[in-house]
Amino acid sequence: MAICIPPLDASTESSAERKLHEALRSGLSDDFLVLHSVKWIAKPRGAGPRDGEVDFLICHPKHGLLVVEVKGGGVILDYAMRRFASIDRHGDEHEITNPFEQAMRGKFAILEKLKESPFWQKLGLGRIPLGHAAFFPDVDGVGGLVGPDAPLDIIGGRQDIALISQWVDRAFTYWAGPGGQGALSELGAGGVATVQRILARVSTTRPLVSARLVQEEQTRIELTERQAAILDLLSRQRRVMVAGGAGTGKTLIAREKAARAAEEGLKTLLVCYNRGLADHLREQCEGIEGLDVATFHQLCKRWIDKAKSELGRDLMAEARRDYPGGTEFDHHQPIALAFAIDAFGPNYDAIIVDEAQDFGDEFWLPIEMMLSDHADGLLYVFLDENQNIYGRSAAIPIKGEPMLLDKNCRNTTTIHAAAYRYYRGVRIEAPEITGTKIELLTAPDIDRQARAISALVTRLVAVEGVAPHDIGVLLCDGRARSSFERALAAMTIPKSSRWGHLEGYGQGSITVDSVAKFKGLERAIIILWGLDASDPVVDRETLYVGMSRAKSMLYLCGTVAACGRVLDAGVA
C-alpha cells in the first residue's frame, strides 16, 4: 500500500481525484510515495517568484518522479483547433487547459523547485527519471485521446483504475526509454525523503522560551491544525497578515516561515521590534543561509552606518534637516533607512515582520522598499493588537482582514483565564493543560514585597530544583525599575542565582525587567510585580502581556488590594 500525503478526506472536491487517489493508495506498494495536490512557490535563477501546482506526484526510489494531471468527466482534445474541453454529466462543455501540456509544465516546475533547495543540492544527483502523464477516470477507450504530445503509454482511463500498478509502471517505463534509465541517476530512498521534505514537509516547533534557553528546553509543541493550515496557506500567498492572542504561536510560525523561505533560496529578513526577541530568534535561526534577523532599529543602524562608510553620507543629519519636527526612533531613523535603500537598492525577496503592532507608520515605507520585487515579493506580517503597549498606530500595507490563530498553546488554563480577562478580540481557545492556581505574594511595601519574592525564588531553586533562568520577574511600572532592583539586590538568594536584565541573560540569571521589554518572550515561571499603581483599565495591555508570558506558573506581587484588583477586575 503506497504512502499517500495527505490522506484522502472529504475536503477533496474532485471525484476524479478521489478515484485515482484510492487506486494509487491501495494498488501500489509501500515503496511508492504519492503526493496529492502539491503546491509551491519557486524562484528560478534570474526570475521572480512563480506559483506551481500539480494534481499528483508519484515518487519511487528507482523509477523516479511522475507528475499526473487528472480530469473528470468526458474530454475533447482538438489538436487542430487547439481547443480542449471537459464534458460534465449534464453534457455541458467547459474549456480547460491541455492536460498534457499542464502536466509537462508541472513536471519542469517541480524540477526547478527541487533544484533550488539546498537539501536537494546536497544529494548530488545528476539527471533523474522524470515524466508526466494524464489520467481520465471517467473515460473508457482512451486510445481516442492520443495526440502529438499524448502517446498512449502516458494516458490513463477507467479501465486502468483496477490495474493501476501496471499503468504506473508503463508510464515510468515510457519516460525511461527503450534502453532503461541509462545515464539517469536513481532517486533512491534519500531522494524520495528529500522530495517529501521539500514539497510535503511536516513541521514541529518548540516553544519560545527566552534568549539563550533553547538548548535547555526539551519540550516541543506540535503545530495545531490551524497553525499548520496557516503555514500551508502562506506558501501560496504573497502578502498576508496573521493575528492572534498571546500564546497562539505567532512568533513560532513567523520564525518557521522565515526559515522555509530562506531554505527555498529566497533572501529573507525576519524583523521585530524588541531586542530581546531578536536576540532569541537570531540564536534559533543560526546557520540558516540567506536569513537575516534584526530589530527594526538595528536594521536602521546597519544601513545608516553603511551609507556613512561607503558613500560618506550622514543620513541621520539629512533626515533631521528634512523632517525637523520628528523624533529619532519614530521618524528620523526610518526616514534615514529609506534614504539608504534608495541609494543602495532593495535587498530581500521575502520579509517577515513579527510584533507588527509596535511598528510606527514611518516604518512601513522602508520595509516595502527593501523588497527586491514590490509586486511579487513576499511580505508576511504577524501581530496582536492587544499587545500594542507602545501606543503605535501602524498603517500596515496589507489589504483585507488578517488570518486568525485562535488556540492558545503556551499557557495553562488558569493563566489563560487570568490574562485573557484583559484581551479584546475574537475568542481564543484555552489550552488543554489545567496547571496550578495563580498565587499571590502580598505585602504592604516594596521592601517586604522584595523579601517575599526572594523567599519564593529561594524555595523554587533550592528546594524544588527549578533552574534560575526559568524564572522571570516582570515589572508593570518600568519607570520605578531602579527602586525595585535596589530592593531585590538587598535580599539573599541561592549562590547559583543572580538578578539580571534581559540583555545579560545567561545560566543562573533571573530576569528582572519591564513587561514592555519582555514582549514576545516567555518563562516557565513569571512573578508579576509593580501592581500597586496599576489600573486594570488604563494598564490593560501591560497586564495582558505580563501575565501571558508565564507558561506554567504565575505569581502576582503587590499589596492585597492591588493583587485582588488585578486578578478579579479584568476588562471584558
Side-chain angles (χ1 to χ4, degrees):
M1 189 173 291
I3 300 170
C4 293
I5 301 175
L8 189 65
D9 59 35
S11 65
T12 303
E13 296 180 0
S14 169
S15 62
E17 291 182 21
R18 288 200 299 270
K19 291 174 185 176
L20 183 57
H21 191 292
E22 177 55 30
L24 293 170
R25 184 190 69 82
S26 59
L28 297 181
S29 60
D30 60 7
D31 50 355
F32 281 91
L33 170 69
V34 178
L35 304 182
H36 175 225
S37 188
V38 186
K39 300 178 177 67
W40 66 90
I41 295 177
K43 190 170 186 279
R45 288 187 185 278
R50 296 179 184 174
D51 300 308
E53 178 178 2
V54 298
D55 291 336
F56 287 92
L57 176 62
I58 303 174
C59 314
H60 189 272
K62 181 179 180 180
H63 301 317
L65 304 178
L66 180 69
V67 170
V68 183
E69 181 68 21
V70 181
K71 297 297 180 185
V75 66
I76 297 173
L77 303 181
D78 186 344
Y79 290 97
M81 301 301 296
R82 304 299 297 170
R83 177 174 176 267
F84 307 95
S86 64
I87 305 172
D88 64 25
R89 58 191 179 92
H90 302 294
D92 296 329
E93 297 182 9
H94 306 275
E95 296 295 322
I96 62 172
T97 304
N98 180 350
F100 298 96
E101 182 179 336
Q102 199 170 354
M104 180 187 66
R105 288 201 306 265
K107 173 180 69 175
F108 291 121
I110 278 182
L111 186 60
E112 285 181 341
K113 178 64 179 176
L114 295 176
K115 285 183 174 181
E116 73 180 17
S117 169
F119 303 120
W120 183 265
Q121 294 166 13
K122 288 178 182 178
L123 294 175
L125 297 176
R127 290 179 59 234
I128 62 169
L130 177 65
H132 68 272
F135 207 98
F136 308 91
D138 302 319
V139 175
D140 290 312
V142 295
L145 300 180
V146 171
D149 62 352
L152 183 61
D153 286 338
I154 66 169
I155 308 174
R158 192 203 307 263
Q159 72 278 9
D160 296 305
I161 290 288
L163 302 171
I164 195 66
S165 178
Q166 295 178 26
W167 179 81
V168 170
D169 286 344
R170 187 165 71 247
F172 271 122
T173 300
Y174 175 84
W175 291 106
Q181 294 179 16
L184 298 180
S185 300
E186 287 191 2
L187 192 58
V192 173
T194 301
V195 171
Q196 180 177 345
R197 179 176 188 178
I198 296 170
L199 297 175
R201 182 174 176 178
V202 177
S203 296
T204 57
T205 185
R206 56 195 164 200
L208 183 66
V209 291
S210 76
R212 301 175 181 85
L213 191 60
V214 178
Q215 298 306 314
E216 292 80 24
E217 180 67 31
Q218 299 300 316
T219 304
R220 298 177 64 88
I221 299 173
E222 185 174 340
L223 289 174
T224 66
E225 290 183 3
R226 177 59 175 160
Q227 291 167 340
I230 290 288
L231 266 174
D232 182 55
L233 188 57
L234 289 184
S235 69
R236 311 171 209 172
Q237 304 292 325
R238 307 218 180 276
R239 293 203 174 200
V240 183
M241 181 163 47
V242 180
T248 54
K250 297 181 300 298
T251 297
L252 299 176
I253 296 175
R255 186 197 69 206
E256 177 70 8
K257 181 58 193 177
R260 289 188 183 189
E263 289 171 354
E264 290 171 359
L266 303 180
K267 184 67 184 302
T268 304
L269 170 67
L270 175 56
V271 60
C272 61
Y273 189 83
N274 268 15
R275 177 182 167 183
L277 178 58
D279 290 345
H280 177 66
L281 290 172
R282 190 179 299 110
E283 184 172 350
Q284 286 193 320
C285 297
E286 186 177 1
I288 300 178
E289 188 175 348
L291 175 58
D292 292 338
V293 182
T295 70
F296 179 80
H297 291 104
Q298 286 173 339
L299 205 63
C300 291
K301 186 178 187 304
R302 185 186 307 165
W303 284 66
I304 291 168
D305 289 348
K306 181 180 179 181
K308 195 163 192 177
S309 172
E310 297 183 17
L311 304 178
R313 291 177 60 183
D314 186 344
L315 297 183
M316 284 297 291
E318 294 179 24
R320 294 188 190 103
R321 180 196 63 212
D322 293 347
Y323 301 90
T327 62
E328 178 173 343
F329 288 101
D330 292 344
H331 301 94
H332 296 149
Q333 284 198 24
I335 291 166
L337 175 57
F339 288 165
I341 299 166
D342 191 48
F344 290 109
N347 199 43
Y348 296 102
D349 302 312
I351 298 178
I352 290 83
V353 181
D354 196 18
E355 302 182 300
Q357 70 276 355
D358 295 327
F359 280 47
D361 288 349
E362 275 70 24
F363 293 19
W364 293 104
L365 174 62
I367 288 288
E368 287 196 283
M369 289 175 65
M370 279 189 286
L371 284 171
S372 56
D373 189 326
H374 187 272
D376 290 330
L378 308 184
L379 177 61
Y380 306 107
V381 172
F382 295 79
L383 59 88
D384 178 356
E385 287 294 353
N386 288 271
Q387 294 189 32
N388 187 18
I389 61 178
Y390 292 105
R392 305 290 185 193
S393 177
I396 299 173
I398 296 179
K399 297 178 181 179
E401 294 297 318
M403 288 183 285
L404 297 175
L405 293 172
D406 54 8
K407 183 176 177 62
N408 185 344
C409 56
R410 173 196 293 151
N411 313 125
T412 64
T413 301
T414 51
I415 295 171
H416 172 92
Y420 272 78
R421 295 182 184 190
Y422 295 90
Y423 170 82
R424 291 174 180 168
V426 298
R427 180 181 178 275
I428 301 297
E429 184 179 344
E432 298 174 0
I433 302 173
T434 302
T436 60
K437 69 176 183 179
I438 296 170
E439 297 191 32
L440 308 182
L441 304 176
T442 59
D445 55 59
I446 286 181
D447 290 336
R448 278 179 278 192
Q449 290 167 10
R451 188 176 299 119
I453 291 174
S454 65
L456 171 64
V457 167
T458 299
R459 176 173 65 82
L460 291 172
V461 173
V463 179
E464 303 294 343
V466 174
H469 52 255
D470 281 338
I471 304 170
V473 181
L474 301 187
L475 308 175
C476 292
D477 187 0
R479 295 166 299 181
R481 189 172 84 171
S482 58
S483 299
F484 294 114
E485 290 175 345
R486 282 195 301 269
L488 285 177
M491 303 299 159
T492 300
I493 56 176
K495 292 183 179 179
S496 60
S497 310
R498 66 182 183 279
W499 308 112
H501 293 153
L502 190 58
E503 293 86 350
Y505 183 77
Q507 290 290 330
S509 177
I510 300 168
T511 300
V512 182
D513 226 316
S514 68
V515 170
K517 290 185 64 178
F518 205 75
K519 289 186 64 183
L521 300 173
E522 59 189 25
R523 292 286 188 272
I525 300 171
I526 289 292
I527 303 167
L528 194 60
W529 196 16
L531 302 175
D532 297 349
S534 293
D535 180 277
V537 175
V538 175
D539 302 308
R540 177 185 67 84
E541 293 170 356
T542 297
L543 295 170
Y544 165 71
V545 173
M547 287 192 280
S548 63
R549 301 307 95 192
K551 293 192 294 182
S552 302
M553 301 177 70
L554 174 63
Y555 296 85
L556 303 182
C557 184
T559 64
V560 173
C563 289
R565 183 171 64 244
V566 168
L567 194 58
D568 298 331
V571 180

